[in-house]
Amino acid sequence: MHDDLTSAVDELFPTLRSDLEELVRVDSISAPGFDPGRVRHGAEVSAAQLERAGLEGVRILELDGSHPAVFAEIGPPGPDAPTVLLYAHYDVQPPGPAELWSTPPFEPTESGGRLYGRGTADDKVGIVLHTGAIRAHEGRPPVGVKVFLEGEEEIGSAHLDGFLERYRDLLAADVIVVADAANWSVGVPALTTSLRGLIDCTIAVRTLEAGVHSGMWGGVFPDALSVLVRALASLHDERGNVAVPGLVRGQRPLIDADEDGARRDAGVLAGVDTIGVGSITERLWAGPALSVLSIDAPPVAGSINQLVPEARAKVSVRLAPGDDPDRAMDSLVRHLEGAVPWGAAVEVERGASAHPFSLDTSGPAYDAFQAGFRHAYGREAVYTGIGGSIPFVQAFSDAFPWADLVLTGAGDPTSYIHGPNESLDLGELRRSAVAEAVALRALAG
């Protein structure tokens, strides 16, 4: 029934791959300290690709203090046709140490059927999925299409609320498709139905006005690092469960992951135990997770025999669906303040927060994408969660509460998103583009 779309994507595939490679070559790193001009160049390259795909009204959207966004559209073919907003982001994470990459991070390289490079899976492939689905319909899909490409997703979508407020009418749609997730595995598509939320804070402890000789005063007065370590150790119990009272746990997911596969995909060292209780997916999607992200303290190199007077750490908590970030932050702050021993001075600075989110899988949008996956993959998608947080999903839901939200993508657990040697299975690019093209047809009714 949809073999014409499969044939179209097959014919287009060299162009789609070339487009992805062109995007990957742009080091559009949105993080502070990197050249914002390269991010703008990423927006310009993305806009040019939308034009080549046949979209109209291509423009760069501006907001003071923000990296630019990109917009384009194709009007609905009739008054009863729905309008679909297709989202992806063109900014990427920094590559990290070059020596950890097997290939240059911004020079796309194929090996073993995978394309390596920063942004191949997160999320420049999302742009190519959208243009591929549109091209498969020869630039005239049977629904209205709007494309919105963000340039700040990797820094928490800091200005997205401002974009949605200023350009609300421009971006309004009946269905929103977010291509920023991943498949369950190569050959097994997924629709993401839950996201964990996020809170973080910085704890600072102080025991002395200044550093003093450890031989003269050690054993009488505590150093700040020892105080900090004891406070941080209180955040988990002996099994590795998060020990902060009051955090929500969700229901166990119906699907589970293989522990050996999870170890392999995460690159866990031999002999390292798992932490927490429950199934792998329960711990990843339906429970809180707490990490100590960083510590400010004297480096080992050059350290001296001194009682350290002050130390700081950043703590991050992923929140299960159903939890409330404000309440969870209060619980975390109370716990840390109460866990600091020996009367040390403590200050906890509240940081970022993001709501967890659960998506409603009923309705025509999910039916349409399942039809697309059945055709492209020969099977329906599994419903999965994401252990990470995507704050903009809540922002879109708040701005357009009537719209169906669909969260999809083309990466897989071996894509090493955010890490060195990020990659994309090229077969997933082909199949995912076919699935989205079929979904657009199915949405037309």
Side-chain angles (χ1 to χ4, degrees), residues 179-370:
D180 192 27
N183 285 328
W184 178 247
S185 63
V186 174
V188 182
L191 288 166
T192 298
T193 62
S194 69
L195 306 164
R196 285 197 293 198
L198 172 72
I199 56 172
D200 65 44
C201 69
T202 301
I203 175 175
V205 298
R206 192 170 188 92
T207 58
L208 300 158
E209 293 181 358
V212 296
H213 195 292
S214 62
M216 294 179 63
W217 298 109
V220 175
F221 300 111
D223 67 89
L225 267 177
S226 294
V227 169
L228 180 64
V229 167
R230 289 176 69 94
L232 296 178
S234 75
L235 294 169
H236 294 89
D237 66 17
E238 293 300 316
R239 292 291 305 273
N241 297 297
V242 178
V244 177
L247 300 184
V248 168
R249 293 191 67 88
Q251 294 184 341
R252 178 172 179 162
L254 297 177
I255 191 171
D256 195 12
D258 171 68
E259 182 177 328
D260 290 339
R263 288 178 173 276
R264 182 178 59 253
D265 293 343
V268 177
L269 298 181
V272 175
D273 293 333
T274 63
I275 60 173
V277 296
S279 69
I280 297 294
T281 53
E282 182 180 0
R283 283 176 276 176
L284 283 175
W285 304 342
L290 188 149
S291 304
V292 178
L293 300 183
S294 55
I295 293 179
D296 286 342
V300 172
S303 60
I304 60 175
N305 289 320
Q306 173 185 264
L307 298 184
V308 175
E310 182 179 18
R312 299 195 312 158
K314 186 171 184 179
V315 175
S316 172
V317 183
R318 300 288 179 170
L319 303 176
D323 212 339
D324 176 78
D326 292 337
R327 183 174 54 78
M329 183 76 82
D330 289 341
S331 297
L332 176 61
V333 171
R334 280 195 304 270
H335 180 92
L336 285 171
E337 289 175 340
V340 172
W342 304 321
V346 56
E347 181 178 350
V348 180
E349 180 181 353
R350 298 168 185 246
S353 67
H355 283 268
F357 198 83
S358 295
L359 288 88
D360 181 5
T361 60
S362 62
Y366 279 84
D367 294 341
F369 269 85
Q370 287 290 22

Side-chain angles (χ1 to χ4, degrees), residues 11 24 130-131 164 182 330 405:
E11 186 175 344
V24 171
H130 296 331
T131 57
L164 292 177
D330 289 341
L405 270 168

Side-chain angles (χ1 to χ4, degrees), residues 168-181:
R168 184 184 305 271
D169 292 342
L170 189 69
L171 298 174
D174 303 296
V175 177
I176 300 171
V177 179
V178 175
D180 192 27

Side-chain angles (χ1 to χ4, degrees), residues 46-73:
S46 300
Q49 290 195 5
L50 295 180
E51 286 186 338
R52 294 200 300 268
L55 284 109
E56 302 162 351
V58 180
R59 69 186 86 172
I60 304 292
L61 303 183
E62 305 280 3
L63 200 66
D64 289 345
S66 171
H67 293 301
V70 184
F71 175 82
E73 63 184 328

